[in-house]
PDB file of all heavy atoms in Angstrom:
ATOM      1  N   VAL A  17      -9.698   3.282   0.143  1.00  0.00           N
ATOM      2  CA  VAL A  17      -9.383   1.890   0.452  1.00  0.00           C
ATOM      3  C   VAL A  17      -7.902   1.662   0.188  1.00  0.00           C
ATOM      4  O   VAL A  17      -7.439   1.779  -0.957  1.00  0.00           O
ATOM      5  CB  VAL A  17     -10.229   0.919  -0.374  1.00  0.00           C
ATOM      6  CG1 VAL A  17      -9.837  -0.525  -0.049  1.00  0.00           C
ATOM      7  CG2 VAL A  17     -11.715   1.137  -0.120  1.00  0.00           C
ATOM      8  N   GLU A  18      -7.182   1.307   1.257  1.00  0.00           N
ATOM      9  CA  GLU A  18      -5.753   1.048   1.146  1.00  0.00           C
ATOM     10  C   GLU A  18      -5.497  -0.442   0.916  1.00  0.00           C
ATOM     11  O   GLU A  18      -6.292  -1.286   1.318  1.00  0.00           O
ATOM     12  CB  GLU A  18      -5.011   1.468   2.420  1.00  0.00           C
ATOM     13  CG  GLU A  18      -5.163   2.907   2.833  1.00  0.00           C
ATOM     14  CD  GLU A  18      -6.194   3.095   3.917  1.00  0.00           C
ATOM     15  OE1 GLU A  18      -7.135   2.283   3.989  1.00  0.00           O
ATOM     16  OE2 GLU A  18      -6.055   4.066   4.701  1.00  0.00           O
ATOM     17  N   SER A  19      -4.352  -0.721   0.311  1.00  0.00           N
ATOM     18  CA  SER A  19      -3.894  -2.100   0.141  1.00  0.00           C
ATOM     19  C   SER A  19      -2.384  -2.095  -0.004  1.00  0.00           C
ATOM     20  O   SER A  19      -1.771  -1.033  -0.192  1.00  0.00           O
ATOM     21  CB  SER A  19      -4.545  -2.748  -1.081  1.00  0.00           C
ATOM     22  OG  SER A  19      -4.177  -2.064  -2.268  1.00  0.00           O
ATOM     23  N   GLY A  20      -1.794  -3.290   0.094  1.00  0.00           N
ATOM     24  CA  GLY A  20      -0.369  -3.427  -0.161  1.00  0.00           C
ATOM     25  C   GLY A  20       0.488  -3.641   1.065  1.00  0.00           C
ATOM     26  O   GLY A  20       1.698  -3.856   0.936  1.00  0.00           O
ATOM     27  N   GLY A  21      -0.101  -3.578   2.252  1.00  0.00           N
ATOM     28  CA  GLY A  21       0.682  -3.810   3.448  1.00  0.00           C
ATOM     29  C   GLY A  21       1.063  -5.275   3.588  1.00  0.00           C
ATOM     30  O   GLY A  21       0.626  -6.134   2.825  1.00  0.00           O
ATOM     31  N   GLY A  22       1.913  -5.544   4.577  1.00  0.00           N
ATOM     32  CA  GLY A  22       2.322  -6.922   4.823  1.00  0.00           C
ATOM     33  C   GLY A  22       3.555  -6.983   5.674  1.00  0.00           C
ATOM     34  O   GLY A  22       3.983  -5.989   6.265  1.00  0.00           O
ATOM     35  N   LEU A  23       4.126  -8.181   5.736  1.00  0.00           N
ATOM     36  CA  LEU A  23       5.344  -8.428   6.500  1.00  0.00           C
ATOM     37  C   LEU A  23       6.528  -8.423   5.542  1.00  0.00           C
ATOM     38  O   LEU A  23       6.504  -9.103   4.507  1.00  0.00           O
ATOM     39  CB  LEU A  23       5.249  -9.787   7.203  1.00  0.00           C
ATOM     40  CG  LEU A  23       6.493 -10.290   7.916  1.00  0.00           C
ATOM     41  CD1 LEU A  23       6.869  -9.363   9.058  1.00  0.00           C
ATOM     42  CD2 LEU A  23       6.273 -11.719   8.420  1.00  0.00           C
ATOM     43  N   VAL A  24       7.562  -7.676   5.884  1.00  0.00           N
ATOM     44  CA  VAL A  24       8.748  -7.585   5.031  1.00  0.00           C
ATOM     45  C   VAL A  24       9.983  -7.545   5.917  1.00  0.00           C
ATOM     46  O   VAL A  24       9.936  -7.051   7.051  1.00  0.00           O
ATOM     47  CB  VAL A  24       8.658  -6.340   4.121  1.00  0.00           C
ATOM     48  CG1 VAL A  24       8.642  -5.065   4.929  1.00  0.00           C
ATOM     49  CG2 VAL A  24       9.770  -6.325   3.086  1.00  0.00           C
ATOM     50  N   GLN A  25      11.073  -8.074   5.420  1.00  0.00           N
ATOM     51  CA  GLN A  25      12.323  -8.059   6.169  1.00  0.00           C
ATOM     52  C   GLN A  25      12.967  -6.669   6.094  1.00  0.00           C
ATOM     53  O   GLN A  25      12.736  -5.923   5.139  1.00  0.00           O
ATOM     54  CB  GLN A  25      13.282  -9.104   5.610  1.00  0.00           C
ATOM     55  CG  GLN A  25      12.836 -10.525   5.848  1.00  0.00           C
ATOM     56  CD  GLN A  25      13.893 -11.530   5.427  1.00  0.00           C
ATOM     57  OE1 GLN A  25      14.823 -11.207   4.679  1.00  0.00           O
ATOM     58  NE2 GLN A  25      13.767 -12.751   5.896  1.00  0.00           N
ATOM     59  N   PRO A  26      13.782  -6.333   7.085  1.00  0.00           N
ATOM     60  CA  PRO A  26      14.518  -5.067   7.009  1.00  0.00           C
ATOM     61  C   PRO A  26      15.308  -4.971   5.715  1.00  0.00           C
ATOM     62  O   PRO A  26      15.910  -5.958   5.269  1.00  0.00           O
ATOM     63  CB  PRO A  26      15.449  -5.137   8.232  1.00  0.00           C
ATOM     64  CG  PRO A  26      14.723  -6.000   9.200  1.00  0.00           C
ATOM     65  CD  PRO A  26      14.024  -7.039   8.358  1.00  0.00           C
ATOM     66  N   GLY A  27      15.268  -3.775   5.114  1.00  0.00           N
ATOM     67  CA  GLY A  27      15.908  -3.564   3.828  1.00  0.00           C
ATOM     68  C   GLY A  27      15.019  -3.850   2.637  1.00  0.00           C
ATOM     69  O   GLY A  27      15.383  -3.528   1.495  1.00  0.00           O
ATOM     70  N   GLY A  28      13.868  -4.423   2.883  1.00  0.00           N
ATOM     71  CA  GLY A  28      12.951  -4.767   1.807  1.00  0.00           C
ATOM     72  C   GLY A  28      12.098  -3.591   1.359  1.00  0.00           C
ATOM     73  O   GLY A  28      12.251  -2.463   1.841  1.00  0.00           O
ATOM     74  N   SER A  29      11.183  -3.888   0.421  1.00  0.00           N
ATOM     75  CA  SER A  29      10.332  -2.854  -0.172  1.00  0.00           C
ATOM     76  C   SER A  29       8.877  -3.301  -0.165  1.00  0.00           C
ATOM     77  O   SER A  29       8.577  -4.501  -0.217  1.00  0.00           O
ATOM     78  CB  SER A  29      10.761  -2.580  -1.617  1.00  0.00           C
ATOM     79  OG  SER A  29      12.076  -2.083  -1.675  1.00  0.00           O
ATOM     80  N   LEU A  30       8.007  -2.306  -0.127  1.00  0.00           N
ATOM     81  CA  LEU A  30       6.570  -2.515  -0.300  1.00  0.00           C
ATOM     82  C   LEU A  30       6.008  -1.315  -1.048  1.00  0.00           C
ATOM     83  O   LEU A  30       6.554  -0.203  -0.942  1.00  0.00           O
ATOM     84  CB  LEU A  30       5.843  -2.632   1.049  1.00  0.00           C
ATOM     85  CG  LEU A  30       5.918  -3.924   1.838  1.00  0.00           C
ATOM     86  CD1 LEU A  30       5.240  -3.755   3.184  1.00  0.00           C
ATOM     87  CD2 LEU A  30       5.300  -5.086   1.072  1.00  0.00           C
ATOM     88  N   ARG A  31       4.918  -1.535  -1.764  1.00  0.00           N
ATOM     89  CA  ARG A  31       4.202  -0.417  -2.372  1.00  0.00           C
ATOM     90  C   ARG A  31       2.764  -0.434  -1.881  1.00  0.00           C
ATOM     91  O   ARG A  31       2.045  -1.412  -2.084  1.00  0.00           O
ATOM     92  CB  ARG A  31       4.229  -0.469  -3.899  1.00  0.00           C
ATOM     93  CG  ARG A  31       3.651   0.801  -4.516  1.00  0.00           C
ATOM     94  CD  ARG A  31       3.752   0.857  -6.021  1.00  0.00           C
ATOM     95  NE  ARG A  31       2.695   0.122  -6.683  1.00  0.00           N
ATOM     96  CZ  ARG A  31       2.242   0.393  -7.908  1.00  0.00           C
ATOM     97  NH1 ARG A  31       2.775   1.403  -8.591  1.00  0.00           N
ATOM     98  NH2 ARG A  31       1.297  -0.350  -8.448  1.00  0.00           N
ATOM     99  N   LEU A  32       2.381   0.643  -1.232  1.00  0.00           N
ATOM    100  CA  LEU A  32       1.006   0.803  -0.782  1.00  0.00           C
ATOM    101  C   LEU A  32       0.200   1.532  -1.848  1.00  0.00           C
ATOM    102  O   LEU A  32       0.722   2.404  -2.542  1.00  0.00           O
ATOM    103  CB  LEU A  32       0.956   1.592   0.522  1.00  0.00           C
ATOM    104  CG  LEU A  32       1.807   1.081   1.678  1.00  0.00           C
ATOM    105  CD1 LEU A  32       1.563   1.937   2.918  1.00  0.00           C
ATOM    106  CD2 LEU A  32       1.542  -0.380   1.960  1.00  0.00           C
ATOM    107  N   SER A  33      -1.063   1.157  -1.945  1.00  0.00           N
ATOM    108  CA  SER A  33      -1.985   1.817  -2.863  1.00  0.00           C
ATOM    109  C   SER A  33      -3.211   2.275  -2.093  1.00  0.00           C
ATOM    110  O   SER A  33      -3.624   1.644  -1.115  1.00  0.00           O
ATOM    111  CB  SER A  33      -2.425   0.863  -3.973  1.00  0.00           C
ATOM    112  OG  SER A  33      -1.336   0.411  -4.736  1.00  0.00           O
ATOM    113  N   CYS A  34      -3.809   3.347  -2.557  1.00  0.00           N
ATOM    114  CA  CYS A  34      -5.045   3.862  -1.967  1.00  0.00           C
ATOM    115  C   CYS A  34      -5.942   4.316  -3.108  1.00  0.00           C
ATOM    116  O   CYS A  34      -5.575   5.236  -3.853  1.00  0.00           O
ATOM    117  CB  CYS A  34      -4.759   5.010  -1.019  1.00  0.00           C
ATOM    118  SG  CYS A  34      -6.222   5.889  -0.436  1.00  0.00           S
ATOM    119  N   VAL A  35      -7.079   3.664  -3.230  1.00  0.00           N
ATOM    120  CA  VAL A  35      -8.036   3.992  -4.278  1.00  0.00           C
ATOM    121  C   VAL A  35      -9.161   4.823  -3.680  1.00  0.00           C
ATOM    122  O   VAL A  35      -9.742   4.447  -2.653  1.00  0.00           O
ATOM    123  CB  VAL A  35      -8.608   2.730  -4.940  1.00  0.00           C
ATOM    124  CG1 VAL A  35      -9.616   3.106  -6.012  1.00  0.00           C
ATOM    125  CG2 VAL A  35      -7.488   1.891  -5.533  1.00  0.00           C
ATOM    126  N   ALA A  36      -9.461   5.931  -4.333  1.00  0.00           N
ATOM    127  CA  ALA A  36     -10.526   6.828  -3.872  1.00  0.00           C
ATOM    128  C   ALA A  36     -11.758   6.695  -4.746  1.00  0.00           C
ATOM    129  O   ALA A  36     -11.652   6.529  -5.963  1.00  0.00           O
ATOM    130  CB  ALA A  36     -10.034   8.273  -3.898  1.00  0.00           C
ATOM    131  N   SER A  37     -12.919   6.773  -4.116  1.00  0.00           N
ATOM    132  CA  SER A  37     -14.172   6.812  -4.859  1.00  0.00           C
ATOM    133  C   SER A  37     -15.018   7.953  -4.305  1.00  0.00           C
ATOM    134  O   SER A  37     -15.032   8.201  -3.099  1.00  0.00           O
ATOM    135  CB  SER A  37     -14.928   5.490  -4.740  1.00  0.00           C
ATOM    136  OG  SER A  37     -15.188   5.186  -3.388  1.00  0.00           O
ATOM    137  N   GLY A  38     -15.696   8.659  -5.224  1.00  0.00           N
ATOM    138  CA  GLY A  38     -16.476   9.825  -4.812  1.00  0.00           C
ATOM    139  C   GLY A  38     -15.621  11.074  -4.884  1.00  0.00           C
ATOM    140  O   GLY A  38     -14.424  11.023  -4.648  1.00  0.00           O
ATOM    141  N   GLY A  39     -16.217  12.176  -5.179  1.00  0.00           N
ATOM    142  CA  GLY A  39     -15.483  13.418  -5.251  1.00  0.00           C
ATOM    143  C   GLY A  39     -14.640  13.538  -6.508  1.00  0.00           C
ATOM    144  O   GLY A  39     -14.677  12.677  -7.399  1.00  0.00           O
ATOM    145  N   ILE A  40     -13.878  14.593  -6.586  1.00  0.00           N
ATOM    146  CA  ILE A  40     -13.000  14.846  -7.724  1.00  0.00           C
ATOM    147  C   ILE A  40     -11.576  14.646  -7.244  1.00  0.00           C
ATOM    148  O   ILE A  40     -10.993  15.503  -6.570  1.00  0.00           O
ATOM    149  CB  ILE A  40     -13.212  16.266  -8.281  1.00  0.00           C
ATOM    150  CG1 ILE A  40     -14.679  16.453  -8.688  1.00  0.00           C
ATOM    151  CG2 ILE A  40     -12.284  16.492  -9.478  1.00  0.00           C
ATOM    152  CD1 ILE A  40     -15.024  17.847  -9.111  1.00  0.00           C
TER     153      ILE A  40
END
């Protein structure tokens, strides 16, 4: 499951996250 996307101006920053469930 990913999160953290959005609208940002050029030169800006974002941090995406991805949480995993199941497996090792």
Side-chain angles (χ1 to χ4, degrees):
V17 178
E18 303 99 332
S19 62
L23 173 63
V24 63
Q25 292 187 343
S29 297
L30 282 175
R31 188 175 82 154
L32 306 184
S33 300
C34 171
V35 179
S37 58
I40 302 174

